[in-house]
C-alpha cells in the first residue's frame, strides 16, 4: 500500500512573492512620486523664457526618468507659454519602467507634442534610439535635456564610472542640460529605506564621488560646457537645479 506521506500533494506549492511596497522602488520608479515632490514647485524654479534664444523651429527636448509624465506635461505647458505659436516644441519622455510609461501615455494631454517611450538611458542601444528620434525633426542633438532626480539612481546602480558615462553621453546629445541632482543625504535615505523594508541595500562604500554638485561643476567644463549655478533656484524640498550650456 502506498504510504500517505509519499503521495504527491494536489495543492501546488506557492512561489514566495515579496509584497508590493511603493517605497522599495530600486530605480527611483515610485508610483506616486509627484504626490510628495510637487510639479508646480519645481516649475517655479525654471524660467519660462528658458528656450527663447532658440530661434529655429522645432525645439526638441528629452526628459530622462519621466516617471508617470506629470512633470513632463507641466514642463511643456510652462515653456510653451513664452514660445508663441510660430515655434513647435516636442518632448520625448523616457523611463525604464513599463507601467509608468503606460500611465504616461494614457494621461498624455499633448499627444502631438509629447512622446513617451520605454528606454534605459544606460543601455548602449539608447544612443541609436535617440538619434532615430532626432532624425524625425532633422536634428542632430536635443535643444534641451532634463534630468530631474535621476542621477543618484544611475550612480547607485552603475557606480562612479557609470555616472560619468551617463554625464558624458548626455553632454554630447544636448545644447542645454537641466539637472536636478540628489545630494549625499538622499543616498543615505535610499539605503535606510531598503534596510527598513528588508531589501537588498546599496553599497555606498564603493562610491568615491560624494559631492555631486562639485563633481558636475568640474565635469562639464571638460566636456565644453559652461557652468551656471545661479540661473535656477532650489526646490522646496532642498534640491538645486543647475543649467549647463554647451558651446555652439
Amino acid at each position: 500500500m502506498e504510504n500517505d506521506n509519499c503521495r504527491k500533494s494536489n495543492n501546488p506549492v506557492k512561489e514566495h512573492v515579496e509584497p508590493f511596497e511603493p517605497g522599495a522602488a530600486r530605480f527611483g520608479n515610485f508610483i506616486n512620486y509627484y504626490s510628495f515632490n510637487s510639479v508646480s514647485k519645481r516649475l517655479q524654479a525654471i524660467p519660462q523664457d528658458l528656450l527663447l534664444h532658440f530661434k529655429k523651429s522645432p525645439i526638441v527636448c528629452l526628459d530622462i526618468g519621466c516617471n508617470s509624465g506629470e512633470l513632463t506635461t507641466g514642463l511643456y505647458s510652462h515653456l510653451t507659454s513664452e514660445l508663441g505659436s510660430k515655434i513647435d516644441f516636442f518632448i520625448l519622455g523616457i523611463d525604464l519602467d513599463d507601467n509608468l510609461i503606460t500611465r504616461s501615455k494614457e494621461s498624455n494631454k499633448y499627444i502631438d507634442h509629447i512622446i513617451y517611450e520605454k528606454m534605459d538611458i544606460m543601455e548602449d542601444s539608447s544612443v541609436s534610439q535617440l538619434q532615430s528620434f532626432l532624425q524625425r525633426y532633422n536634428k542632430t542633438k536635443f535643444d534641451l535635456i532634463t534630468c530631474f532626480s535621476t542621477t543618484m539612481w544611475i550612480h547607485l546602480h552603475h557606480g562612479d564610472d557609470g555616472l560619468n558615462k551617463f554625464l558624458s553621453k548626455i553632454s554630447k546629445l544636448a545644447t542645454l542640460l537641466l539637472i536636478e541632482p540628489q545630494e549625499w543625504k538622499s543616498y543615505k535615505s535610499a539605503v535606510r529605506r531598503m534596510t527598513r523594508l528588508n531589501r537588498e541595500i546599496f553599497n555606498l562604500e564603493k562610491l568615491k564621488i560624494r559631492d555631486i554638485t562639485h563633481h558636475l561643476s568640474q565635469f562639464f567644463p571638460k566636456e565644453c560646457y559652461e557652468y551656471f549655478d545661479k540661473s535656477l533656484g532650489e526646490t522646496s524640498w532642498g534640491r538645486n537645479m543647475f543649467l549647463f550650456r554647451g558651446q555652439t
Side-chain angles (χ1 to χ4, degrees), residues 5-58:
N5 293 330
C6 295
R7 292 176 184 169
K8 292 183 178 179
S9 171
N10 291 326
N11 297 322
V13 177
K14 293 183 178 180
E15 182 181 354
H16 173 69
V17 178
E18 289 186 334
F20 174 72
E21 171 55 59
R26 290 187 61 80
F27 294 91
N29 49 328
F30 301 102
I31 62 170
N32 57 349
Y33 180 76
Y34 296 110
S35 66
F36 54 89
N37 280 332
S38 165
V39 169
S40 61
K41 290 181 179 178
R42 252 198 188 103
L43 294 177
Q44 288 173 6
I46 302 174
Q48 287 184 294
D49 62 355
L50 181 65
L51 302 178
L52 283 185
H53 77 280
F54 292 109
K55 305 298 184 183
K56 189 175 180 180
S57 182

Side-chain angles (χ1 to χ4, degrees), residues 135-149:
Q135 287 172 4
R136 301 182 203 174
Y137 305 98
N138 295 316
K139 309 280 280 191
T140 57
K141 61 169 57 178
F142 290 93
D143 298 293
L144 171 68
I145 289 181
T146 58
C147 182
F148 296 102
S149 293

Side-chain angles (χ1 to χ4, degrees), residues 1-170:
M1 181 180 293
E2 184 180 9
N3 190 321
D4 286 343
N5 293 330
C6 295
R7 292 176 184 169
K8 292 183 178 179
S9 171
N10 291 326
N11 297 322
V13 177
K14 293 183 178 180
E15 182 181 354
H16 173 69
V17 178
E18 289 186 334
F20 174 72
E21 171 55 59
R26 290 187 61 80
F27 294 91
N29 49 328
F30 301 102
I31 62 170
N32 57 349
Y33 180 76
Y34 296 110
S35 66
F36 54 89
N37 280 332
S38 165
V39 169
S40 61
K41 290 181 179 178
R42 252 198 188 103
L43 294 177
Q44 288 173 6
I46 302 174
Q48 287 184 294
D49 62 355
L50 181 65
L51 302 178
L52 283 185
H53 77 280
F54 292 109
K55 305 298 184 183
K56 189 175 180 180
S57 182
I59 296 173
V60 183
C61 169
L62 171 65
D63 184 24
I64 299 172
C66 64
N67 198 271
S68 53
E70 284 96 326
L71 181 55
T72 314
T73 300
L75 190 67
Y76 177 84
S77 299
H78 187 70
L79 295 179
T80 52
S81 64
E82 293 287 333
L83 286 178
S85 59
K86 294 183 179 180
I87 301 291
D88 282 325
F89 180 40
F90 300 94
I91 302 180
L92 171 62
I94 63 171
D95 202 285
L96 49 67
D97 189 302
D98 266 321
N99 292 328
L100 291 175
I101 288 297
T102 297
R103 287 175 57 190
S104 298
K105 291 179 177 179
E106 290 174 348
S107 62
N108 190 359
K109 298 191 298 183
Y110 303 107
I111 57 175
D112 292 330
H113 292 271
I114 301 178
I115 300 94
Y116 293 105
E117 292 185 12
K118 179 183 181 296
M119 191 184 305
D120 184 348
I121 191 65
M122 297 305 292
E123 293 287 341
D124 291 338
S125 60
S126 65
V127 174
S128 60
Q129 290 175 276
L130 294 173
Q131 288 174 340
S132 177
F133 178 84
L134 287 168
Q135 287 172 4
R136 301 182 203 174
Y137 305 98
N138 295 316
K139 309 280 280 191
T140 57
K141 61 169 57 178
F142 290 93
D143 298 293
L144 171 68
I145 289 181
T146 58
C147 182
F148 296 102
S149 293
T150 57
T151 54
M152 179 185 75
W153 302 106
I154 291 170
H155 197 189
L156 286 171
H157 286 279
H158 299 277
D160 292 340
D161 289 343
L163 175 64
N164 286 334
K165 177 184 176 182
F166 166 71
L167 297 175
S168 180
K169 177 184 287 188
I170 62 174

